[in-house]
Amino acid sequence: VSPVLVTIPVDWLKGIALVLAVGLAIAAGYYWWRGRKRGSEEDKSVASTLLYVLAAAVLVVVLVKSALEIRYYGVLFAAALFVGYYVMRWQFRRGGYGDEKAEALFLYAALGFIIGARLGYVLFYNLSYYLRHPLEIFLPFSFSDGFTFTGISGMSYHGGLIGILLAVFWFNCKAKLNYWDGMVLYGPVVPLGYTVGRLGNFINGELFGRATTSPIGMYFPQAPEKVLRHPSQLYEAFFEGIFLF
């Protein structure tokens, strides 16, 4: 199975970004004009936000020179965040907390996971490369061979777990919420995220298991030897993900 869901040609990508940039410029101008006319700080804030997004769209038009690949892993990651948010909000409602706390904690936890997972990958797996190319740690571009859009690839589960624990601890201190209460409310989301991550690993053909002669063995193109191997990603997705949930 190819890890790429769809590839958007560079001309299409620039065309979409250009149309988006024009629309954002019009919308930003409208909200800025309305904000000045009404004296509304909220409208001015919306205009400022649209201008930031407009700047990003312009950068895509000017700088991107390669096609955009949308991968299954990224789509699964976005789906995990979407489902995880609603599961956690349901948990908070059951615990007698409002949606505002659920939304705030989810934001902290999601950012903690993303930053922790990325830094974990950098530190645990490819530190020497990123010491030479520090801008690529959080920027979705490669500067090693010209300027190429690559997306942000490389996440570590261990780093993500540490990031979540620290983010939840920080949020609980600010919100004066008992740490273990917060972990109980957020805990069910973790196995779901783990399941999605391991499915992404399976589609990417990475983190495969040991060689086997079992009929459930599979060939993985990235394996050093062309022999049947255990699909350990699927075992972990079920037993450490779905089963725990």
Side-chain angles (χ1 to χ4, degrees), residues 10 13-14 17-18 55-65 141 149:
V10 64
L13 185 61
K14 288 193 172 189
L18 183 60
V58 171
L59 284 175
V60 171
V61 174
V62 174
L63 299 177
V64 172
K65 301 183 184 301
F141 302 100
F149 179 83

Side-chain angles (χ1 to χ4, degrees), residues 28 51 53 63 72 74 103 113 124-125 130 132 141 155 191 210-211 213 221 235 244:
L51 286 174
V53 182
L63 299 177
Y72 283 100
E103 292 170 1
F113 174 77
F124 301 150
Y125 298 103
Y130 288 104
R132 298 193 304 271
F141 302 100
M155 306 284 271
R210 296 178 179 179
T213 56
Y235 303 160
L244 286 180

